[in-house]
């Protein structure tokens, strides 16, 4: 940040204030309810909390901060930190050769967007273990998952996870993840100091990861031609989406098909 602190504060506040017209227009267009001044304060405090933190928000182009702020308005989600619907993050941009601020979605925000579409009846995320009866029936079908015991210790090692959505029309969308990928994300979380990955709530953390991954499959089905399909609206730091997802699903379809039992 080449500006003085006061200069940057004035610039940031001025740029945020100047976009009120666009902010209000996005809300009006979609019927969303957010308070401009409240959301401006959230963004201002979040950005300024990154002072003296390498590659944090004040060291990204202020235009990327404004873009992320307006993107939250477009999808009608508050940046309130306690609600955990969406958040700001920084990422390195290969095209510009610098770090930029991006908007990310938390799992609570994903669930809110999914149910708000009016097309979703129920979303279910779960992990399964080696001794469970698990059968993957394809991306457009419901999985079969049963177990005869409740004790995780008696169910063997983690064998994978899935998130499936039942739509209002009775159809299903299902996403699966292999154990190696879930555990890799788990290790990333631990390395970043997220103690929840070390607690008794580790399976709940895995389920949140599955919901984030599932959104990449579900979103295009319920929000066509929408800002929600922006590929940047995903928490890729916690849930890296692999271009090999189709190969993973083919792997699961083979390993957990009817013929396997």
């Amino acid at each position: 940040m080449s500006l003085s602190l006061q200069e940057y504060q004035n610039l940031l506040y001025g740029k945020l204030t100047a976009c009120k017209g666009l902010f209000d227009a996005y809300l009006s267009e979609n019927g969303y309810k957010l308070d401009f001044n409240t959301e401006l304060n959230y963004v201002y405090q979040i950005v300024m909390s990154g002072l003296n933190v390498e590659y944090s928000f004040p060291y990204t182009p202020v235009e990327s901060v404004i873009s992320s702020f307006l993107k939250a308005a477009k999808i009608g989600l508050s940046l309130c930190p306690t609600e955990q619907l969406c958040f700001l993050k920084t990422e390195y941009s290969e095209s510009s050769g610098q770090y930029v601020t991006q908007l990310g979605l938390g799992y609570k925000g994903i669930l809110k967007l999914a149910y708000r579409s009016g097309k979703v009846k129920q979303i279910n995320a779960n992990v399964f273990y080696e001794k469970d009866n698990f059968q993957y029936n394809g991306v457009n079908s419901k999985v079969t998952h049963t177990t005869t015991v409740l004790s995780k210790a008696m169910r063997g090692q983690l064998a994978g996870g899935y998130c499936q959505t039942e739509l209002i029309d009775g159809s299903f969308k299902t996403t699966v993840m292999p154990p190696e990928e879930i555990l890799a994300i788990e290790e990333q979380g631990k390395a970043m100091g997220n103690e929840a990955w070390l607690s008794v709530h580790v399976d709940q953390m895995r389920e949140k990861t599955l919901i984030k991954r599932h959104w990449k499959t579900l979103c295009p089905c319920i929000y066509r031609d929408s800002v929600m399909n922006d590929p940047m609206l995903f928490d890729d730091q916690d849930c890296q989406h692999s271009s090999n997802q189709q190969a993973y699903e083919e792997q699961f379809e083979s390993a957990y098909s009817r013929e396997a039992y």
Side-chain angles (χ1 to χ4, degrees):
M1 185 172 63
S2 58
L3 302 176
S4 70
L5 175 58
Q6 187 62 59
E7 288 173 333
Y8 181 77
Q9 288 174 321
N10 291 341
L11 174 65
L12 176 62
Y13 188 81
K15 291 281 188 178
L16 288 170
T17 302
C19 67
K20 185 179 188 303
L22 268 179
F23 184 97
D24 290 342
Y26 291 142
L27 297 187
S28 177
E29 178 182 354
N30 297 289
Y32 300 144
K33 303 293 184 182
L34 292 174
D35 180 74
F36 175 77
N37 290 325
T38 300
E39 297 302 316
L40 182 152
N41 186 59
Y42 289 145
V43 172
Y44 183 84
Q45 295 299 326
I46 291 167
V47 172
M48 297 312 297
S49 71
L51 280 175
N52 302 318
V53 179
E54 191 175 16
Y55 306 128
S56 191
F57 310 115
Y59 308 97
T60 68
V62 70
E63 291 78 14
S64 66
V65 174
I66 303 305
S67 174
S68 300
F69 176 54
L70 289 174
K71 192 173 290 186
K74 285 182 181 181
I75 61 176
L77 293 183
S78 174
L79 279 157
C80 175
T82 58
E83 290 189 30
Q84 301 179 353
L85 299 174
C86 61
F87 54 90
L88 299 183
K89 60 180 179 178
T90 60
E91 289 185 351
Y92 182 75
S93 170
E94 294 287 350
S95 59
S96 66
Q98 59 186 330
Y99 280 84
V100 296
T101 294
Q102 297 284 0
L103 182 72
L105 289 179
Y107 85 100
K108 291 182 180 179
I110 288 172
L111 293 177
K112 182 170 183 175
L113 291 175
Y115 286 111
R116 193 176 70 188
S117 72
K119 298 179 181 180
V120 170
K121 181 177 180 180
Q122 185 177 25
I123 298 176
N124 178 42
N126 208 344
V127 294
F128 60 93
Y129 294 83
E130 290 175 326
K131 296 182 181 179
D132 292 0
N133 173 31
F134 179 80
Q135 181 175 295
Y136 175 59
N137 301 309
V139 67
N140 296 314
S141 301
K142 186 179 181 180
V143 303
T144 301
H145 181 201
T146 61
T147 180
T148 57
V149 295
L150 296 178
S151 171
K152 293 180 184 178
M154 297 178 64
R155 293 166 65 187
Q157 297 296 314
L158 177 73
Y162 63 92
C163 184
Q164 64 183 16
T165 294
E166 180 181 2
L167 299 172
I168 295 297
D169 63 10
S171 62
F172 283 86
K173 289 295 177 183
T174 300
T175 303
V176 291
M177 286 180 70
E180 295 84 1
E181 191 169 359
I182 296 174
L183 292 173
I185 292 170
E186 183 175 327
E187 288 305 311
Q188 291 176 10
K190 292 176 181 176
M192 294 172 64
N194 189 337
E195 296 183 359
W197 286 106
L198 298 169
S199 72
V200 295
H201 303 296
V202 63
D203 274 357
Q204 286 89 333
M205 295 297 294
R206 293 166 175 168
E207 290 163 8
K208 293 176 184 179
T209 296
L210 288 160
I211 291 170
K212 293 175 183 178
R213 170 60 55 82
H214 182 57
W215 183 241
K216 299 174 186 291
T217 299
L218 178 62
C219 181
C221 300
I222 61 177
Y223 285 108
R224 292 184 175 88
D225 301 321
S226 166
V227 69
M228 241 76 80
N229 282 309
D230 187 327
M232 299 310 298
L233 279 181
F234 300 103
D235 183 5
D236 291 323
Q237 184 175 1
D238 291 340
C239 185
Q240 294 289 339
H241 184 56
S242 172
S243 59
N244 294 323
Q245 178 66 13
Q246 182 177 354
Y248 281 140
E249 297 194 350
E250 289 174 353
Q251 166 194 336
F252 269 64
E253 189 165 10
S254 173
Y256 298 103
S257 65
R258 289 184 177 86
E259 290 75 14
Y261 284 89

